[in-house]
Amino acid sequence: MELEKEKPIELETIIEDNVIDTTNPINIEKYKRNLNKLIAEAKKKKKVSKFFLIRNDAFFPDEFKWKINSKDTNGEYRNLAYVSIEEEPKEKSTHGFRSVISLFFEKKPPKSQSTSKIEKFSLYFPVKFRITKHFTINTALGLELSDNPGVDPNRPFTIIDDIDNFLQSGYGFSIAGRDAYLDVAHEPLEISKNAILLISVDEYNKIKDTESIKKWISSKRRLIVYKGDLTLAINMLLTEKGALPTKTKDNSHDQETQDIIKKSFLELCDKYDLEYGTFHHGGHFSGYIEQCEKSEENLMKNFIAYINNELGVSLIANNNPSNIEWNQYIKTIGIEKFKNMLETFNNRTKDYIEENKEKYKKDRENITPEISNLFKDTVKLIKQESHNLNFQVAADELTKKCIQFFILPTVAEQVECAQWIQNYLAPNKKKCN
């Protein structure tokens, strides 16, 4: 007699017509019941088996791929300086001009009565260099701010995807509910056909006619609009899909549930040779490697050189001026003249980055299955050897080559580094085994 298969738990539907309304009391009650059922199931089975990769991003992923953040993939405006500009009070006249009498008898207001406005100047930079792409797993980013200081949890695009591509990529470094990351310096991470784009109703109305959204919909990937709270919307979606959120807003998980969730992550780590919960900065070698790339510093140096060249005099000697120094430089140059110079330089940088995007895309097409395996094997070797390497100092040739393997921009350069590392490390590994 065959054993009767265990029936899956019945979960309630919260999403109606691809809309999640987190302000609806009925939906909140459905979510709570789903959550309780999933907790009971986890306790019964002593494990969590469904995992979803979640990323909240300001940039829409091109070509349904999570790519490296670099001078070759994207740019962004960042504040350069805030300058206080004094303005004389505007003259009042019922006729639109000052009377002849007022010209002779009206006294100028004292300087203390003059008003000032703050003018903001922004410089267009390459995005902050990152060889890794970060996600949360079954976790709304808004519940992890203590572990991700300075990260905005309300960026417009939230993409929720199966975890399979991440686990099977061969590039994974570390996983945990609060942070999971992998190497994307060599190959982007594919966004699967099962991915869901979650976006607020207000944001959707702003961008619904853009090419990015049209492309997402035409790809048959799902788009869900939410009303209300993003964190709750993510958790509602997870429970409807049968995934237990690692955290709730009221931190309602008891110790047994927390232990089961952690144990389930550790089992994934064992299966896929991943670290558990290693902090990227201050804990993992990839965080130190990223600091070796100097595109931000180079951009600022180029901007200052451009200003000095345009002026025909070395006005700015320091490559990292403070806001006070920028105030002095801008006022010396003249507000309007500086604005024009800044706009010209920003436009050049934008054009440069757009050209780099196309070059990067075409260059990655050179990755054959053999090169892909070479890259993955080399990442694995570096992971195994990383405890013997000092990425903060990088004094020896091996460490330098490992850094170059991640930060050099072209496939050919990365292949050359990978072959050098393989020749250096692989024979030694064989001797040790």
Side-chain angles (χ1 to χ4, degrees), residues 60 62 64 157 207 209-217:
F60 201 89
D62 294 333
F64 309 112
F157 307 111
I207 64 173
D209 295 323
T210 61
E211 286 304 312
S212 296
I213 295 298
K214 288 177 182 177
K215 193 174 178 182
W216 183 273
I217 294 170

Side-chain angles (χ1 to χ4, degrees), residues 54 94 215 221 233 256 264 283 295 329 340 353 360 390 430:
I54 305 170
T94 56
K215 193 174 178 182
R221 290 171 173 84
E256 183 184 359
S264 300
S295 59
Y329 295 140
N340 292 334
I353 291 174
Y360 170 85
N390 188 346
K430 287 177 185 175

